[in-house]
């Protein structure tokens, strides 16, 4: 598409009477639609919010803040205009001038607020001071920081067992706060550190750890820039990792081949305009971003991957170079078993299980065999399934066949979610910590950490329900509705003796609370954090293991806000009066936290100096250097059986996902631009044949009933059916609303992740009336 053509300028947003609309989207990803959306968003947020240019300025090397929008890395060339529509919205959302202060809470009871939508809650603005729930008036009342810390500290001190507390982390938390947070939990005596990763990339971590001995991707952005082929599984990049569009556009322009595997053909699998270009319209040019799109059925990815591998083996009969035999012999284990299982699986079976025709899979295999360097990237479409771990291991299997590891332009590249979710794991948020790590922590910090595993997200909910966990601390996030089985999770939180939420904005998790409840408001990442030792910076790690500093520059939303490290230290001191940890000393200057971290974590040597290098530093990854910390000392193939994939007659498989205009549980509007939807979130995308079978037309109301493994059912009523290009038997709709359907017991036996992309449902017309 050429610059400024009519079609590019037509964003499809001209008229809006508030009614639900659906028109398939034909425009490039990013581009004018993004520009218009940002302008409108900033206008709506009101006077005084920095415009895109001002926001861009703040997000640059040496002194800017890290974009909290997603975990995609910054440009390697030091070009820092690489921020996108959703990043800007995300930042502006935090910078709002609206305030939720004591007067606000005096005006509204919790019962009244409970009737508000997620959007209405967050849209009230930033929280300004600590608040404590008062059951007598059903209101949050102001509480001083020392009193709040004492309430939390006393309740924690008085538990019969430290394992009656759980400490949740949402993936925004900077590395320094992360380190202090896990230290607080472990000093107290528990490894109950559930995190959002338990719902996100747990499967990736476990699979990569088992296969390669490094629980992360091994590639960086420079690899993305040199790969010959990119295979992108199960991610809606245009909405959720918009800066990946830049990599896709550049790859396409230099002649790399791009294969997308997704039941939906998402916007990033068509064509795009480089996201940051939208602020300088002059360079607008849409570029295709896909060579081949495969549309498996939901959960069909492992069969697609095995099909590609089978085709590679077939090719190797005539062309020995199809396999990198030297690499396989020198670095891997389990090859023969894997080959045997690929050969034994018939094409008919692969087609049936993947929902993709053999010739399409062979096309992908052709691209793979022609490429000298391949990257396989993936996100939640792969992980939130029963077979998430097996599928990620199958990705590694495929890469190993052609030695696509430990060299430029090749390797596994999971797209992480929250901006620092990877850093959280690196810095100790792990309910299954290794003994090595605990030993180091004990030695360096002089504590005696508990050795038994703690609880993850699902286990924590069950334990709260059963009264075994009595204190829940949420360090960011919106646990109440991000977690599965909404009704059950609400019930679980309400059974707690105390719930503590450290947050920037009002959300559902403040309204669904324990007998006592605290809202502790903190500085956002854009804000200046001044401590006794001056302005403080925190570090974060992106999806590609780059660690760099983030410095907030904006005046805090309220003088009463504390930084996350300071809040953690405050709770810690109150809970552990005799703690040997110099909590107060740490908070004066975060360099001191980093000095301790440098002693605890491999790869963090000389942390304070290296993190101040212009682009930060990359954490060393053994697998990247072909050092495998696995039992065999080699990269391990796996030969797991393919998922069954058959469904009960009359049922569909439902995936829950994000719309374009939302950030997890934060809903900016009811639009999903790239999927052509306006003013509607209570929808379900269905295949036209499945709709016809049920006598449904576009926008007809349906009831959706999920059938859990234990046979229990959960329902949503009066959703609207939207005919969509999705394989038969599959349906999709939005999180977090659809968490109502996700039974607490329906988590993967491989990763313990809720199977949020693989619910079995019946969809029927809603009764008339
Ligand atoms: N703007 C914005 N950015 C975000 C977020 C946000 O909410 N808004 N969230 C952040 C977080 S925490 C995360 S984890 C990431 C999430 O990023 P994504 O993984 O893109 O998240 P989802 O919207 O859940 O969508 C997953 C994709 O999986 C596809 N899918 C569903 N089932 C299957 C399947 O069986 N196989 C395959 N191959 N694909 C499938 C869907 O069609 C969809 O394209 O984004 C991060 N970035
Ligand atoms: N059905 C279904 N459910 C899902 C998913 C799915 O695909 N399907 N995806 C899952 C995934 S991948 C994830 S990551 C989780 C997300 O789960 P969470 O991370 O728990 O949820 P968020 O919506 O990202 O959290 C938003 C809240 O974070 C707070 N916040 C924002 N910035 C800051 C900050 O700087 N500091 C602090 N302390 N608080 C801040 C604000 O108060 C805001 O209301 O949801 C999971 N749930
Ligand atoms: Mo996530």
């Amino acid at each position: 598409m050429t610059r400024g053509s009519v079609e590019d300028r037509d964003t499809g947003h001209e008229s809006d009477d508030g009614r639900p609309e659906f028109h398939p989207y034909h425009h490039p990803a990013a581009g004018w639609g993004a520009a218009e959306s940002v302008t409108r968003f900033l206008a709506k947020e009101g006077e005084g919010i920095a415009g895109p240019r001002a926001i861009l300025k703040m997000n640059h090397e040496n002194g800017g803040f890290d974009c909290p929008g997603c975990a995609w890395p910054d440009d390697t060339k030091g070009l820092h205009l690489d921020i996108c529509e959703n990043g800007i919205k995300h930042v502006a959302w935090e910078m709002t001038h609206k305030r939720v202060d004591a007067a606000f809470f005096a005006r509204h009871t919790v019962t009244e607020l409970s009737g508000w939508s997620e959007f209405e809650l967050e849209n009230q603005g930033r929280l300004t001071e600590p608040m404590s729930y008062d059951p007598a008036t059903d209101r949050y009342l102001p509480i001083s920081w020392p009193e709040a810390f004492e309430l939390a500290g006393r309740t924690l001190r008085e538990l019969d067992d430290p394992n009656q507390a759980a400490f949740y982390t949402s993936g925004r938390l900077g590395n320094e706060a992360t380190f202090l947070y896990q230290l607080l939990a472990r000093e107290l005596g528990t490894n109950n550190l559930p995190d959002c990763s338990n719902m996100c990339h747990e499967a990736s971590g476990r699979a990569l750890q088992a296969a390669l001995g490094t629980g992360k991707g091994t590639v960086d952005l420079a690899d993305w820039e040199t790969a010959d082929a990119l295979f992108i599984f199960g991610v809606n990049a245009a909405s959720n990792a918009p800066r990946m569009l830049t990599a896709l556009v550049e790859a396409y322009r230099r002649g790399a081949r791009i294969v997308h595997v997704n039941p939906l053909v998402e916007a990033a699998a068509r064509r795009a305009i480089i996201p940051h270009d939208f602020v300088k319209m002059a360079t607008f040019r849409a570029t295709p971003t896909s060579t081949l799109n495969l549309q498996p059925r939901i959960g069909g990815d492992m069969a697609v991957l095995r099909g590609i591998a089978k085709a590679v083996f077939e090719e190797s009969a005539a062309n020995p170079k199809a396999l990198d035999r030297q690499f396989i012999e020198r670095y891997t284990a389990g090859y023969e078993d894997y080959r045997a299982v690929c050969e034994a699986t018939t094409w008919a079976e692969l087609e049936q299980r993947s929902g993709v025709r053999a010739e399409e899979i062979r096309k992908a295999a052709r691209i793979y065999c022609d490429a000298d360097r391949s990257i396989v990237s993936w996100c939640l479409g792969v992980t939130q399934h029963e077979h998430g771990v097996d599928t990620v291991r199958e990705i590694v299997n495929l890469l190993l066949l052609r030695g696509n590891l430990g060299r430029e332009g090749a390797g596994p590249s999971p797209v992480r979610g929250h901006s620092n979710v990877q850093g959280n794991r690196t810095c100790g948020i792990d309910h299954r910590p290794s003994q090595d790590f605990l030993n180091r922590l004990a030695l360096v910090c002089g504590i005696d950490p508990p050795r038994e595993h703690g609880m993850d997200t699902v286990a924590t909910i069950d334990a709260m329900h059963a009264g075994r966990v009595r204190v829940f601390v949420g360090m960011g996030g919106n646990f109440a509705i991000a977690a599965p089985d909404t009704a059950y999770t609400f019930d679980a939180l309400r059974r707690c003796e105390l719930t503590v939420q450290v947050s920037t904005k009002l959300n559902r998790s403040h309204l669904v609370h324990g007998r006592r409840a605290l809202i502790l408001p903190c500085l956002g990442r854009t804000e200046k954090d001044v401590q006794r030792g001056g302005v403080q910076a925190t570090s974060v790690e992106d999806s590609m293991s780059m660690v760099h500093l983030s410095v907030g520059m904006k005046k805090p939303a309220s003088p009463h806000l504390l930084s996350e490290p300071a809040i953690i230290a405050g709770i810690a001191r109150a809970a552990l009066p005799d703690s040997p940890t110099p909590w107060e000393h740490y908070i004066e200057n975060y360099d001191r936290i980093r000095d301790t971290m440098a002693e605890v974590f491999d790869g963090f040597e000389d942390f304070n100096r290296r993190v101040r290098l212009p682009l930060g530093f990359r954490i060393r990854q053994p697998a990247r250097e072909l050092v495998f910390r696995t039992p065999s000392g080699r990269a391990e193939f796996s030969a797991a059986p393919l998922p069954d994939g058959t469904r009960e007659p009359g049922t569909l498989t439902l995936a829950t996902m994000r719309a374009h205009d939302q950030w997890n549980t934060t809903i900016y509007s009811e639009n999903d631009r790239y999927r052509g939807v306006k003013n509607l979130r209570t929808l379900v995308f269905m295949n036209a044949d499945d709709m016809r079978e049920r006598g449904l037309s576009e926008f007809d109301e349906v009831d959706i009933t999920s059938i859990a493994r234990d046979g229990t059912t959960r329902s949503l009523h009066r959703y609207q059916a939207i005919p969509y290009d999705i394989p038969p038997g599959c349906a999709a709709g939005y999180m977090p609303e659809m968490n109502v359907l996700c039974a607490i017991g329906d988590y993967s036996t491989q990763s313990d992740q809720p199977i949020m992309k693989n619910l079995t449902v019946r969809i029927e017309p809603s009764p008339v009336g």
Side-chain angles (χ1 to χ4, degrees), residues 94 122 127 168-173 196-197 199-201 380 384 417-418 474-479 481-484 502-507 510 522-525 564 656-658 663-666 735-736 738-739 742 756-757:
E94 178 174 299
E122 285 224 10
L127 298 159
Y168 175 70
T169 313
S170 160
R172 278 245 193 156
L173 199 64
C196 65
S197 191
M199 301 182 266
C200 193
H201 270 290
L380 303 183
Q384 292 177 326
H418 269 293
M475 192 53 60
N478 190 357
F479 191 84
I481 53 169
V502 179
S503 318
T504 52
K505 288 210 166 183
L506 186 63
N507 67 37
H510 304 127
C522 64
L523 293 174
R525 200 180 277 176
E564 285 158 328
T656 62
M657 59 188 188
R658 289 143 182 81
W663 218 96
N664 293 341
T665 66
T666 302
M735 65 81 80
M738 283 188 166
N739 268 325
C742 187
M756 292 162 162
K757 296 268 185 288

Side-chain angles (χ1 to χ4, degrees), residues 675-686:
R675 298 193 186 107
V677 176
K678 249 202 252 184
N679 302 320
L680 185 63
R681 284 186 59 84
T682 49
L683 61 72
V684 57
F685 294 112
M686 296 175 72

Side-chain angles (χ1 to χ4, degrees), residues 76 219-227 375 408-409 544:
T76 48
V219 314
D220 60 20
L221 216 45
D223 294 318
W224 276 75
E225 286 162 5
T226 48
I375 285 175
E408 194 178 50
M544 302 187 192

Side-chain angles (χ1 to χ4, degrees), residues 289-303:
T289 44
S290 175
T291 314
L292 176 70
N293 289 329
L294 301 184
Q295 283 179 270
R297 69 164 52 102
I298 291 170
D301 301 82
M302 188 171 166

Side-chain angles (χ1 to χ4, degrees), residues 689-709:
D689 289 343
D690 291 326
M691 284 181 62
R692 210 170 300 123
E693 255 172 48
R694 290 162 177 76
L696 294 170
S697 314
E698 184 172 299
F699 295 126
D700 276 1
E701 289 185 339
V702 293
D703 289 355
I704 309 170
T705 299
S706 65
I707 303 137
R709 286 173 183 164

